[in-house]
């Protein structure tokens, strides 16, 4: 059984930074991804990282501002979010992927989500 627990969400001002963490238990040497869901919108892909950490992929909307990383020794995946914008406001979810993909269907375990709110 795999459990994913996100933390680090909160309130930030536009232009500020937050770092999200996703602590994992169980078998997690897989692709890991971050998704987000804003109010009234569908959940969307944010970033993913390969099991080795050597390969990353980002949505165009966050490229250059967000950085995904992982610490395999700690079984933790991070999402460093800089230059935050009000449109980054959403619930952020981490997920374990069966392959590197932007599609939710390729991710089989999900965390409960953490709220990120960016004020203008």
């Amino acid at each position: 059984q795999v459990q994913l627990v996100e933390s680090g969400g909160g309130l930030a001002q536009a232009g500020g930074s937050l770092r999200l963490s996703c602590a994992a238990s169980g078998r997690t040497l897989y692709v890991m991804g971050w998704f987000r869901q804003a109010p009234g919108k569908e959940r969307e892909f944010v970033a993913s990282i390969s099991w080795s950490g050597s390969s990353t992929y980002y949505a165009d909307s966050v490229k250059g501002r967000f950085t995904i990383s992982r610490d395999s020794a700690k079984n933790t995946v991070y999402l460093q979010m800089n230059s935050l914008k009000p449109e980054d406001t959403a619930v952020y979810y981490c997920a374990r992927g069966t392959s590197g993909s932007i599609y939710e269907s390729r991710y089989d375990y999900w965390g409960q989500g953490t709220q990120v709110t960016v004020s203008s």
Side-chain angles (χ1 to χ4, degrees), residues 5-10 18-23 34-35 66-67 69 76-81 90-94 114-116:
V5 180
E6 302 97 334
S7 61
L18 284 173
R19 188 176 82 155
L20 306 183
S21 299
C22 174
W34 285 97
F35 287 74
F66 290 11
T67 302
S69 62
T76 302
V77 178
Y78 303 98
L79 186 68
Q80 178 67 43
M81 306 186 295
V91 177
Y92 284 71
Y93 300 88
C94 71
T114 185
Q115 176 71 48
V116 170

Side-chain angles (χ1 to χ4, degrees), residues 61-101:
S61 59
V62 306
K63 200 173 295 183
R65 299 188 298 121
F66 290 11
T67 302
I68 188 171
S69 62
R70 69 191 301 164
D71 184 334
S72 295
K74 295 183 178 180
N75 253 2
T76 302
V77 178
Y78 303 98
L79 186 68
Q80 178 67 43
M81 306 186 295
N82 298 330
S83 302
L84 283 163
K85 304 176 181 179
E87 50 263 45
D88 293 320
T89 295
V91 177
Y92 284 71
Y93 300 88
C94 71
R96 189 189 82 165
T98 55
S99 65
S101 174

Side-chain angles (χ1 to χ4, degrees), residues 33 35 45 48 95-97 101 103-110:
F35 287 74
F45 171 81
S48 66
R96 189 189 82 165
S101 174
Y103 300 107
E104 290 186 44
S105 60
R106 296 299 183 93
Y107 293 81
D108 55 359
Y109 287 95
W110 293 79

